[in-house]
Amino acid sequence: MPLIASRYGKEQVRVMRLTRDGDHHTPRELTLSVMLTGRFDAAWTEGDNRACIATDSIKNIVNVTAARNLALDKEAFVAAVARVLLDTYPQIEMVAIEAEETRWLRHSIDGQPHGHTFTRDGNGVGFVALVADRAGSTLRSGLRGYTFMKTTQSGWTGFVADQYRTLPDTTDRIAATSMDATWTWAAVPAACETANARILATLLAVFGTTYSRGVQDSMYRMGEAALAAVQDISEITFVMPNKHYIPVDLTAFSLDNPGTVFLPTDQPYGRIEATVSRGG
């Protein structure tokens, strides 16, 4: 029976390229599908894999191309990946690449674009909850899934060092999260929209402009600042899962990675929760 169509490749290849110009960083994050068509029929019809390129090699080609082309836009980058594949493997007849871009928007603090703090485009949803009875009511507002990142000024040090821990300490890493934040109103302000915007701006300013010793450290100081900025809220609750950006090891390809090429991954993830209250 004839084999009339076949192809294979690598899906969900995630890569972050980070260009650094002093304190001014630019992240470029893509999730790629790379599919190959060519003279691979024997792998299907005869169990002969000698012409087949390992899909792990396809992933590695994406990462190596990223390291060598940090500043290319997404259109030029997928073309560069395709060119490496076609130039390297004569058995490939066609490369089909699709890439979805995670768009990071540079955040402004005090009216100035910040060098290394970003929010995700199309970000988060507003949240409100009311519980009311005849004696009164409790109103809460907040955000769900609000995603933000800073590409430096964050560390991970001093955690329990036992036989199960494998992560090394680091004083400079990407810190990213998809935050759920809920604040409880002690008194409903005249303009909730304005107060909500001020709370968010305060949270992001603290996150972006202060060194983070861990999510817990940033979370507590963000909560303190929000309570100080808006007197109408009595407490604020956070759920902040880690979104990890893991430096890609390129030593097998004789390439350094000075904090410029990362594997974005959010499964599994650390989940950090806390409530900061005015007390009393």
Side-chain angles (χ1 to χ4, degrees):
M1 295 183 181
L3 178 69
I4 62 171
S6 63
R7 68 174 188 163
Y8 79 105
K10 199 76 164 180
E11 292 278 314
Q12 293 290 305
V13 182
R14 300 180 66 183
V15 65
M16 161 82 88
R17 294 171 291 147
L18 184 64
T19 54
R20 298 170 178 258
D21 181 11
D23 189 51
H24 186 88
H25 296 179
T26 302
R28 295 175 174 88
E29 182 175 345
L30 293 174
T31 301
L32 297 91
S33 164
V34 184
M35 298 298 294
L36 309 179
T37 303
R39 298 188 295 278
F40 309 117
D41 286 6
W44 276 266
T45 61
E46 301 172 29
D48 182 348
N49 297 320
R50 285 177 294 175
C52 277
I53 302 133
T55 62
D56 188 62
S57 298
I58 299 172
K59 175 204 71 180
N60 291 336
I61 284 169
V62 170
N63 288 333
V64 169
T65 305
R68 292 173 173 163
N69 299 276
L70 294 175
L72 291 184
D73 59 32
K74 61 184 182 299
E75 289 79 9
F77 180 70
V78 297
V81 172
R83 186 164 56 250
V84 172
L85 287 162
L86 291 167
D87 289 349
T88 305
Y89 303 106
Q91 64 269 44
I92 296 176
E93 295 171 351
M94 183 172 65
V95 178
I97 302 176
E98 295 184 3
E100 294 183 355
E101 181 182 19
T102 298
R103 296 178 60 198
W104 291 102
L105 307 178
R106 192 173 302 280
H107 184 63
S108 291
I109 297 175
D110 295 330
Q112 297 298 317
H114 196 260
H116 56 256
T117 303
F118 304 88
T119 61
R120 185 169 176 168
D121 192 17
N123 203 4
V125 293
F127 170 83
V128 64
L130 175 70
V131 176
D133 60 22
R134 299 186 188 282
S137 64
T138 301
L139 180 67
R140 296 180 175 90
S141 300
L143 294 161
R144 295 290 180 267
Y146 194 87
T147 302
F148 50 95
M149 169 181 73
K150 63 180 177 181
T151 51
T152 189
Q153 290 297 303
S154 173
W156 190 87
T157 62
F159 287 78
V160 173
D162 57 19
Q163 69 269 36
Y164 298 108
R165 178 182 151 184
T166 58
L167 293 176
D169 282 357
T170 180
T171 57
D172 189 5
R173 66 169 184 166
I174 292 177
T177 188
S178 180
M179 176 185 71
D180 291 352
T182 305
W183 42 91
T184 302
W185 298 103
V188 180
C192 284
E193 186 174 346
T194 301
N196 288 336
R198 186 175 183 190
I199 291 168
L200 177 59
T202 300
L203 298 178
L204 292 174
V206 172
F207 176 80
T209 61
T210 62
Y211 185 84
S212 173
R213 295 173 178 83
V215 175
Q216 293 90 334
D217 173 48
S218 287
M219 179 185 288
Y220 180 73
R221 288 184 291 107
M222 290 161 68
E224 280 189 311
L227 289 166
V230 178
Q231 294 298 311
D232 291 322
I233 61 174
S234 59
E235 65 180 34
I236 183 168
T237 296
F238 298 97
V239 178
M240 290 172 62
N242 284 317
K243 297 177 71 67
H244 297 292
Y245 288 83
I246 301 170
V248 176
D249 184 357
L250 298 170
T251 55
F253 311 102
S254 301
L255 291 172
D256 292 330
N257 183 7
T260 54
V261 180
F262 300 86
L263 169 65
T265 179
D266 48 21
Q267 293 180 348
Y269 58 81
R271 177 182 170 111
I272 299 93
E273 303 181 6
T275 299
V276 184
S277 173
R278 250 177 239 291

mmCIF file of all heavy atoms in Angstrom, residues 48-94:
data_model
loop_
_atom_site.group_PDB
_atom_site.id
_atom_site.type_symbol
_atom_site.label_atom_id
_atom_site.label_comp_id
_atom_site.label_asym_id
_atom_site.label_seq_id
_atom_site.Cartn_x
_atom_site.Cartn_y
_atom_site.Cartn_z
ATOM 1 N N ASP A 48 13.109 2.150 9.058
ATOM 2 C CA ASP A 48 14.493 2.580 8.842
ATOM 3 C C ASP A 48 14.590 4.079 9.150
ATOM 4 O O ASP A 48 14.060 4.908 8.402
ATOM 5 C CB ASP A 48 14.884 2.296 7.393
ATOM 6 C CG ASP A 48 16.332 2.663 7.090
ATOM 7 O OD1 ASP A 48 16.961 3.351 7.924
ATOM 8 O OD2 ASP A 48 16.816 2.290 6.012
ATOM 9 N N ASN A 49 15.256 4.408 10.246
ATOM 10 C CA ASN A 49 15.286 5.792 10.718
ATOM 11 C C ASN A 49 16.551 6.551 10.324
ATOM 12 O O ASN A 49 16.777 7.663 10.813
ATOM 13 C CB ASN A 49 15.171 5.808 12.252
ATOM 14 C CG ASN A 49 13.865 5.239 12.745
ATOM 15 O OD1 ASN A 49 12.819 5.496 12.147
ATOM 16 N ND2 ASN A 49 13.914 4.457 13.804
ATOM 17 N N ARG A 50 17.353 6.003 9.435
ATOM 18 C CA ARG A 50 18.655 6.608 9.162
ATOM 19 C C ARG A 50 18.560 8.010 8.569
ATOM 20 O O ARG A 50 19.472 8.818 8.753
ATOM 21 C CB ARG A 50 19.468 5.692 8.232
ATOM 22 C CG ARG A 50 20.027 4.455 8.947
ATOM 23 C CD ARG A 50 20.752 3.554 7.976
ATOM 24 N NE ARG A 50 19.826 2.978 6.999
ATOM 25 C CZ ARG A 50 20.217 2.219 5.970
ATOM 26 N NH1 ARG A 50 21.511 1.989 5.772
ATOM 27 N NH2 ARG A 50 19.326 1.717 5.137
ATOM 28 N N ALA A 51 17.500 8.329 7.895
ATOM 29 C CA ALA A 51 17.356 9.678 7.331
ATOM 30 C C ALA A 51 16.654 10.635 8.284
ATOM 31 O O ALA A 51 16.625 11.845 8.042
ATOM 32 C CB ALA A 51 16.580 9.614 6.012
ATOM 33 N N CYS A 52 16.095 10.104 9.372
ATOM 34 C CA CYS A 52 15.276 10.924 10.267
ATOM 35 C C CYS A 52 16.143 11.778 11.188
ATOM 36 O O CYS A 52 17.088 11.295 11.813
ATOM 37 C CB CYS A 52 14.362 10.048 11.108
ATOM 38 S SG CYS A 52 12.847 9.581 10.270
ATOM 39 N N ILE A 53 15.802 13.041 11.273
ATOM 40 C CA ILE A 53 16.442 13.973 12.198
ATOM 41 C C ILE A 53 15.691 13.895 13.523
ATOM 42 O O ILE A 53 14.459 13.959 13.549
ATOM 43 C CB ILE A 53 16.389 15.403 11.631
ATOM 44 C CG1 ILE A 53 17.082 15.461 10.262
ATOM 45 C CG2 ILE A 53 16.992 16.407 12.591
ATOM 46 C CD1 ILE A 53 16.288 16.192 9.221
ATOM 47 N N ALA A 54 16.427 13.745 14.598
ATOM 48 C CA ALA A 54 15.781 13.670 15.909
ATOM 49 C C ALA A 54 14.994 14.949 16.175
ATOM 50 O O ALA A 54 15.474 16.054 15.896
ATOM 51 C CB ALA A 54 16.831 13.463 16.999
ATOM 52 N N THR A 55 13.785 14.785 16.720
ATOM 53 C CA THR A 55 13.017 15.991 17.039
ATOM 54 C C THR A 55 13.708 16.810 18.124
ATOM 55 O O THR A 55 13.545 18.031 18.182
ATOM 56 C CB THR A 55 11.577 15.658 17.455
ATOM 57 O OG1 THR A 55 11.587 14.850 18.640
ATOM 58 C CG2 THR A 55 10.852 14.912 16.338
ATOM 59 N N ASP A 56 14.503 16.169 18.979
ATOM 60 C CA ASP A 56 15.283 16.921 19.957
ATOM 61 C C ASP A 56 16.301 17.820 19.256
ATOM 62 O O ASP A 56 16.592 18.929 19.731
ATOM 63 C CB ASP A 56 15.995 15.958 20.905
ATOM 64 C CG ASP A 56 16.671 16.675 22.061
ATOM 65 O OD1 ASP A 56 15.950 17.328 22.850
ATOM 66 O OD2 ASP A 56 17.906 16.610 22.164
ATOM 67 N N SER A 57 16.824 17.357 18.103
ATOM 68 C CA SER A 57 17.746 18.194 17.334
ATOM 69 C C SER A 57 17.033 19.419 16.783
ATOM 70 O O SER A 57 17.623 20.509 16.708
ATOM 71 C CB SER A 57 18.364 17.392 16.186
ATOM 72 O OG SER A 57 19.124 16.309 16.677
ATOM 73 N N ILE A 58 15.773 19.259 16.405
ATOM 74 C CA ILE A 58 14.999 20.411 15.922
ATOM 75 C C ILE A 58 14.882 21.460 17.022
ATOM 76 O O ILE A 58 15.099 22.655 16.801
ATOM 77 C CB ILE A 58 13.612 19.957 15.438
ATOM 78 C CG1 ILE A 58 13.735 18.971 14.266
ATOM 79 C CG2 ILE A 58 12.750 21.158 15.045
ATOM 80 C CD1 ILE A 58 12.432 18.320 13.861
ATOM 81 N N LYS A 59 14.564 21.004 18.243
ATOM 82 C CA LYS A 59 14.493 21.932 19.389
ATOM 83 C C LYS A 59 15.833 22.619 19.597
ATOM 84 O O LYS A 59 15.902 23.839 19.819
ATOM 85 C CB LYS A 59 14.094 21.164 20.644
ATOM 86 C CG LYS A 59 14.093 21.990 21.931
ATOM 87 C CD LYS A 59 14.269 21.126 23.157
ATOM 88 C CE LYS A 59 15.691 20.576 23.245
ATOM 89 N NZ LYS A 59 15.903 19.727 24.439
ATOM 90 N N ASN A 60 16.925 21.853 19.528
ATOM 91 C CA ASN A 60 18.247 22.433 19.730
ATOM 92 C C ASN A 60 18.598 23.445 18.644
ATOM 93 O O ASN A 60 19.252 24.467 18.920
ATOM 94 C CB ASN A 60 19.302 21.330 19.778
ATOM 95 C CG ASN A 60 19.193 20.482 21.029
ATOM 96 O OD1 ASN A 60 18.671 20.930 22.048
ATOM 97 N ND2 ASN A 60 19.668 19.251 20.958
ATOM 98 N N ILE A 61 18.165 23.186 17.425
ATOM 99 C CA ILE A 61 18.410 24.138 16.337
ATOM 100 C C ILE A 61 17.691 25.450 16.617
ATOM 101 O O ILE A 61 18.237 26.543 16.387
ATOM 102 C CB ILE A 61 17.990 23.533 14.989
ATOM 103 C CG1 ILE A 61 19.040 22.509 14.548
ATOM 104 C CG2 ILE A 61 17.798 24.602 13.920
ATOM 105 C CD1 ILE A 61 18.624 21.663 13.370
ATOM 106 N N VAL A 62 16.472 25.379 17.142
ATOM 107 C CA VAL A 62 15.753 26.605 17.513
ATOM 108 C C VAL A 62 16.545 27.381 18.562
ATOM 109 O O VAL A 62 16.731 28.599 18.453
ATOM 110 C CB VAL A 62 14.341 26.267 18.026
ATOM 111 C CG1 VAL A 62 13.675 27.501 18.630
ATOM 112 C CG2 VAL A 62 13.482 25.701 16.903
ATOM 113 N N ASN A 63 17.058 26.679 19.586
ATOM 114 C CA ASN A 63 17.781 27.359 20.653
ATOM 115 C C ASN A 63 19.112 27.939 20.171
ATOM 116 O O ASN A 63 19.485 29.070 20.545
ATOM 117 C CB ASN A 63 18.027 26.387 21.813
ATOM 118 C CG ASN A 63 16.765 26.073 22.589
ATOM 119 O OD1 ASN A 63 15.843 26.872 22.641
ATOM 120 N ND2 ASN A 63 16.711 24.893 23.186
ATOM 121 N N VAL A 64 19.837 27.183 19.349
ATOM 122 C CA VAL A 64 21.111 27.686 18.836
ATOM 123 C C VAL A 64 20.870 28.890 17.922
ATOM 124 O O VAL A 64 21.593 29.899 17.980
ATOM 125 C CB VAL A 64 21.862 26.570 18.091
ATOM 126 C CG1 VAL A 64 23.048 27.128 17.316
ATOM 127 C CG2 VAL A 64 22.332 25.497 19.079
ATOM 128 N N THR A 65 19.837 28.794 17.084
ATOM 129 C CA THR A 65 19.506 29.924 16.213
ATOM 130 C C THR A 65 19.116 31.140 17.044
ATOM 131 O O THR A 65 19.453 32.281 16.696
ATOM 132 C CB THR A 65 18.375 29.540 15.249
ATOM 133 O OG1 THR A 65 18.749 28.357 14.524
ATOM 134 C CG2 THR A 65 18.084 30.648 14.255
ATOM 135 N N ALA A 66 18.424 30.897 18.163
ATOM 136 C CA ALA A 66 18.074 32.003 19.057
ATOM 137 C C ALA A 66 19.321 32.665 19.624
ATOM 138 O O ALA A 66 19.431 33.896 19.657
ATOM 139 C CB ALA A 66 17.181 31.489 20.184
ATOM 140 N N ALA A 67 20.284 31.857 20.067
ATOM 141 C CA ALA A 67 21.499 32.413 20.657
ATOM 142 C C ALA A 67 22.290 33.237 19.650
ATOM 143 O O ALA A 67 22.954 34.219 20.013
ATOM 144 C CB ALA A 67 22.370 31.287 21.200
ATOM 145 N N ARG A 68 22.217 32.857 18.385
ATOM 146 C CA ARG A 68 22.975 33.554 17.347
ATOM 147 C C ARG A 68 22.206 34.711 16.722
ATOM 148 O O ARG A 68 22.780 35.481 15.942
ATOM 149 C CB ARG A 68 23.369 32.546 16.263
ATOM 150 C CG ARG A 68 24.384 31.524 16.743
ATOM 151 C CD ARG A 68 24.630 30.434 15.724
ATOM 152 N NE ARG A 68 25.725 29.559 16.147
ATOM 153 C CZ ARG A 68 25.955 28.345 15.640
ATOM 154 N NH1 ARG A 68 25.154 27.861 14.693
ATOM 155 N NH2 ARG A 68 26.974 27.618 16.070
ATOM 156 N N ASN A 69 20.930 34.845 17.075
ATOM 157 C CA ASN A 69 20.077 35.868 16.449
ATOM 158 C C ASN A 69 19.134 36.457 17.492
ATOM 159 O O ASN A 69 17.906 36.369 17.362
ATOM 160 C CB ASN A 69 19.275 35.265 15.293
ATOM 161 C CG ASN A 69 20.147 34.712 14.186
ATOM 162 O OD1 ASN A 69 20.589 35.426 13.300
ATOM 163 N ND2 ASN A 69 20.397 33.407 14.242
ATOM 164 N N LEU A 70 19.696 37.087 18.516
ATOM 165 C CA LEU A 70 18.882 37.551 19.640
ATOM 166 C C LEU A 70 17.886 38.627 19.246
ATOM 167 O O LEU A 70 16.789 38.699 19.803
ATOM 168 C CB LEU A 70 19.789 38.088 20.748
ATOM 169 C CG LEU A 70 20.697 37.069 21.438
ATOM 170 C CD1 LEU A 70 21.616 37.783 22.422
ATOM 171 C CD2 LEU A 70 19.875 36.003 22.139
ATOM 172 N N ALA A 71 18.229 39.478 18.293
ATOM 173 C CA ALA A 71 17.429 40.672 18.033
ATOM 174 C C ALA A 71 16.521 40.549 16.815
ATOM 175 O O ALA A 71 15.797 41.496 16.504
ATOM 176 C CB ALA A 71 18.346 41.881 17.865
ATOM 177 N N LEU A 72 16.519 39.408 16.122
ATOM 178 C CA LEU A 72 15.659 39.284 14.949
ATOM 179 C C LEU A 72 14.189 39.355 15.336
ATOM 180 O O LEU A 72 13.780 38.820 16.374
ATOM 181 C CB LEU A 72 15.910 37.955 14.230
ATOM 182 C CG LEU A 72 17.237 37.764 13.505
ATOM 183 C CD1 LEU A 72 17.243 36.415 12.788
ATOM 184 C CD2 LEU A 72 17.499 38.897 12.520
ATOM 185 N N ASP A 73 13.362 39.993 14.491
ATOM 186 C CA ASP A 73 11.921 39.922 14.715
ATOM 187 C C ASP A 73 11.445 38.507 14.403
ATOM 188 O O ASP A 73 12.183 37.673 13.879
ATOM 189 C CB ASP A 73 11.182 40.976 13.893
ATOM 190 C CG ASP A 73 11.403 40.842 12.395
ATOM 191 O OD1 ASP A 73 11.587 39.712 11.897
ATOM 192 O OD2 ASP A 73 11.390 41.881 11.702
ATOM 193 N N LYS A 74 10.199 38.229 14.755
ATOM 194 C CA LYS A 74 9.714 36.852 14.648
ATOM 195 C C LYS A 74 9.700 36.347 13.214
ATOM 196 O O LYS A 74 9.941 35.149 12.961
ATOM 197 C CB LYS A 74 8.325 36.722 15.281
ATOM 198 C CG LYS A 74 7.219 37.558 14.664
ATOM 199 C CD LYS A 74 5.919 37.416 15.454
ATOM 200 C CE LYS A 74 4.777 38.202 14.841
ATOM 201 N NZ LYS A 74 5.053 39.667 14.799
ATOM 202 N N GLU A 75 9.445 37.235 12.261
ATOM 203 C CA GLU A 75 9.418 36.815 10.861
ATOM 204 C C GLU A 75 10.807 36.397 10.384
ATOM 205 O O GLU A 75 10.988 35.349 9.749
ATOM 206 C CB GLU A 75 8.871 37.951 9.987
ATOM 207 C CG GLU A 75 7.386 38.218 10.161
ATOM 208 C CD GLU A 75 7.031 39.022 11.406
ATOM 209 O OE1 GLU A 75 7.964 39.547 12.079
ATOM 210 O OE2 GLU A 75 5.833 39.133 11.729
ATOM 211 N N ALA A 76 11.805 37.213 10.731
ATOM 212 C CA ALA A 76 13.173 36.884 10.340
ATOM 213 C C ALA A 76 13.700 35.681 11.123
ATOM 214 O O ALA A 76 14.498 34.891 10.598
ATOM 215 C CB ALA A 76 14.082 38.089 10.543
ATOM 216 N N PHE A 77 13.247 35.517 12.360
ATOM 217 C CA PHE A 77 13.736 34.400 13.162
ATOM 218 C C PHE A 77 13.261 33.058 12.614
ATOM 219 O O PHE A 77 14.053 32.108 12.497
ATOM 220 C CB PHE A 77 13.284 34.558 14.617
ATOM 221 C CG PHE A 77 13.752 33.433 15.498
ATOM 222 C CD1 PHE A 77 15.093 33.302 15.822
ATOM 223 C CD2 PHE A 77 12.856 32.491 15.983
ATOM 224 C CE1 PHE A 77 15.534 32.254 16.631
ATOM 225 C CE2 PHE A 77 13.287 31.452 16.785
ATOM 226 C CZ PHE A 77 14.627 31.330 17.115
ATOM 227 N N VAL A 78 11.973 32.934 12.265
ATOM 228 C CA VAL A 78 11.516 31.650 11.722
ATOM 229 C C VAL A 78 12.195 31.361 10.388
ATOM 230 O O VAL A 78 12.490 30.195 10.061
ATOM 231 C CB VAL A 78 9.973 31.580 11.603
ATOM 232 C CG1 VAL A 78 9.330 31.693 12.978
ATOM 233 C CG2 VAL A 78 9.418 32.632 10.658
ATOM 234 N N ALA A 79 12.488 32.392 9.621
ATOM 235 C CA ALA A 79 13.217 32.193 8.364
ATOM 236 C C ALA A 79 14.627 31.686 8.640
ATOM 237 O O ALA A 79 15.150 30.821 7.908
ATOM 238 C CB ALA A 79 13.261 33.492 7.567
ATOM 239 N N ALA A 80 15.262 32.196 9.707
ATOM 240 C CA ALA A 80 16.606 31.741 10.058
ATOM 241 C C ALA A 80 16.597 30.277 10.489
ATOM 242 O O ALA A 80 17.502 29.506 10.138
ATOM 243 C CB ALA A 80 17.178 32.626 11.164
ATOM 244 N N VAL A 81 15.585 29.874 11.264
ATOM 245 C CA VAL A 81 15.472 28.463 11.672
ATOM 246 C C VAL A 81 15.296 27.567 10.442
ATOM 247 O O VAL A 81 15.958 26.522 10.307
ATOM 248 C CB VAL A 81 14.302 28.275 12.655
ATOM 249 C CG1 VAL A 81 14.050 26.793 12.917
ATOM 250 C CG2 VAL A 81 14.566 29.013 13.964
ATOM 251 N N ALA A 82 14.416 27.962 9.547
ATOM 252 C CA ALA A 82 14.187 27.170 8.331
ATOM 253 C C ALA A 82 15.462 27.054 7.502
ATOM 254 O O ALA A 82 15.776 25.987 6.951
ATOM 255 C CB ALA A 82 13.065 27.792 7.506
ATOM 256 N N ARG A 83 16.214 28.142 7.428
ATOM 257 C CA ARG A 83 17.441 28.139 6.620
ATOM 258 C C ARG A 83 18.467 27.160 7.193
ATOM 259 O O ARG A 83 19.135 26.427 6.450
ATOM 260 C CB ARG A 83 18.018 29.546 6.549
ATOM 261 C CG ARG A 83 19.218 29.671 5.611
ATOM 262 C CD ARG A 83 19.506 31.126 5.285
ATOM 263 N NE ARG A 83 19.715 31.924 6.495
ATOM 264 C CZ ARG A 83 18.864 32.847 6.953
ATOM 265 N NH1 ARG A 83 17.730 33.095 6.310
ATOM 266 N NH2 ARG A 83 19.140 33.529 8.063
ATOM 267 N N VAL A 84 18.602 27.117 8.521
ATOM 268 C CA VAL A 84 19.528 26.166 9.146
ATOM 269 C C VAL A 84 19.121 24.734 8.822
ATOM 270 O O VAL A 84 19.960 23.893 8.462
ATOM 271 C CB VAL A 84 19.590 26.386 10.672
ATOM 272 C CG1 VAL A 84 20.390 25.266 11.345
ATOM 273 C CG2 VAL A 84 20.205 27.732 10.997
ATOM 274 N N LEU A 85 17.854 24.433 8.932
ATOM 275 C CA LEU A 85 17.385 23.073 8.650
ATOM 276 C C LEU A 85 17.634 22.689 7.198
ATOM 277 O O LEU A 85 18.153 21.598 6.905
ATOM 278 C CB LEU A 85 15.895 22.968 8.991
ATOM 279 C CG LEU A 85 15.566 22.938 10.489
ATOM 280 C CD1 LEU A 85 14.101 23.277 10.728
ATOM 281 C CD2 LEU A 85 15.891 21.558 11.079
ATOM 282 N N LEU A 86 17.279 23.564 6.264
ATOM 283 C CA LEU A 86 17.441 23.246 4.844
ATOM 284 C C LEU A 86 18.919 23.159 4.456
ATOM 285 O O LEU A 86 19.305 22.310 3.634
ATOM 286 C CB LEU A 86 16.723 24.292 3.998
ATOM 287 C CG LEU A 86 15.191 24.258 4.082
ATOM 288 C CD1 LEU A 86 14.593 25.509 3.465
ATOM 289 C CD2 LEU A 86 14.639 23.007 3.407
ATOM 290 N N ASP A 87 19.757 24.005 5.047
ATOM 291 C CA ASP A 87 21.179 23.981 4.722
ATOM 292 C C ASP A 87 21.890 22.776 5.330
ATOM 293 O O ASP A 87 22.907 22.312 4.798
ATOM 294 C CB ASP A 87 21.855 25.269 5.208
ATOM 295 C CG ASP A 87 21.462 26.489 4.390
ATOM 296 O OD1 ASP A 87 20.839 26.315 3.320
ATOM 297 O OD2 ASP A 87 21.763 27.616 4.834
ATOM 298 N N THR A 88 21.380 22.274 6.444
ATOM 299 C CA THR A 88 22.057 21.200 7.161
ATOM 300 C C THR A 88 21.664 19.811 6.662
ATOM 301 O O THR A 88 22.513 18.906 6.618
ATOM 302 C CB THR A 88 21.766 21.305 8.671
ATOM 303 O OG1 THR A 88 22.121 22.611 9.133
ATOM 304 C CG2 THR A 88 22.527 20.258 9.464
ATOM 305 N N TYR A 89 20.410 19.642 6.271
ATOM 306 C CA TYR A 89 19.890 18.301 5.970
ATOM 307 C C TYR A 89 19.352 18.243 4.543
ATOM 308 O O TYR A 89 18.255 18.746 4.259
ATOM 309 C CB TYR A 89 18.770 17.939 6.952
ATOM 310 C CG TYR A 89 19.200 18.012 8.403
ATOM 311 C CD1 TYR A 89 18.774 19.070 9.216
ATOM 312 C CD2 TYR A 89 20.013 17.046 8.964
ATOM 313 C CE1 TYR A 89 19.163 19.143 10.550
ATOM 314 C CE2 TYR A 89 20.406 17.106 10.291
ATOM 315 C CZ TYR A 89 19.976 18.161 11.086
ATOM 316 O OH TYR A 89 20.356 18.225 12.404
ATOM 317 N N PRO A 90 20.072 17.623 3.612
ATOM 318 C CA PRO A 90 19.613 17.551 2.222
ATOM 319 C C PRO A 90 18.334 16.736 2.047
ATOM 320 O O PRO A 90 17.626 16.912 1.048
ATOM 321 C CB PRO A 90 20.794 16.909 1.487
ATOM 322 C CG PRO A 90 21.586 16.220 2.545
ATOM 323 C CD PRO A 90 21.412 17.009 3.783
ATOM 324 N N GLN A 91 18.020 15.857 2.996
ATOM 325 C CA GLN A 91 16.809 15.038 2.863
ATOM 326 C C GLN A 91 15.525 15.822 3.145
ATOM 327 O O GLN A 91 14.424 15.343 2.859
ATOM 328 C CB GLN A 91 16.884 13.802 3.774
ATOM 329 C CG GLN A 91 16.918 14.075 5.277
ATOM 330 C CD GLN A 91 18.324 14.200 5.823
ATOM 331 O OE1 GLN A 91 19.153 14.850 5.220
ATOM 332 N NE2 GLN A 91 18.582 13.569 6.964
ATOM 333 N N ILE A 92 15.647 17.033 3.699
ATOM 334 C CA ILE A 92 14.457 17.860 3.933
ATOM 335 C C ILE A 92 14.067 18.545 2.629
ATOM 336 O O ILE A 92 14.887 19.180 1.967
ATOM 337 C CB ILE A 92 14.719 18.913 5.027
ATOM 338 C CG1 ILE A 92 14.991 18.259 6.373
ATOM 339 C CG2 ILE A 92 13.523 19.870 5.145
ATOM 340 C CD1 ILE A 92 15.349 19.248 7.484
ATOM 341 N N GLU A 93 12.793 18.406 2.269
ATOM 342 C CA GLU A 93 12.278 19.075 1.072
ATOM 343 C C GLU A 93 11.482 20.328 1.418
ATOM 344 O O GLU A 93 11.439 21.272 0.618
ATOM 345 C CB GLU A 93 11.405 18.100 0.281
ATOM 346 C CG GLU A 93 12.197 16.914 -0.277
ATOM 347 C CD GLU A 93 11.319 15.841 -0.875
ATOM 348 O OE1 GLU A 93 10.069 15.923 -0.720
ATOM 349 O OE2 GLU A 93 11.870 14.900 -1.480
ATOM 350 N N MET A 94 10.869 20.342 2.585
ATOM 351 C CA MET A 94 10.063 21.496 2.961
ATOM 352 C C MET A 94 10.033 21.610 4.481
ATOM 353 O O MET A 94 9.934 20.597 5.189
ATOM 354 C CB MET A 94 8.636 21.393 2.417
ATOM 355 C CG MET A 94 7.763 22.612 2.717
ATOM 356 S SD MET A 94 6.170 22.545 1.844
ATOM 357 C CE MET A 94 5.432 21.113 2.645
#
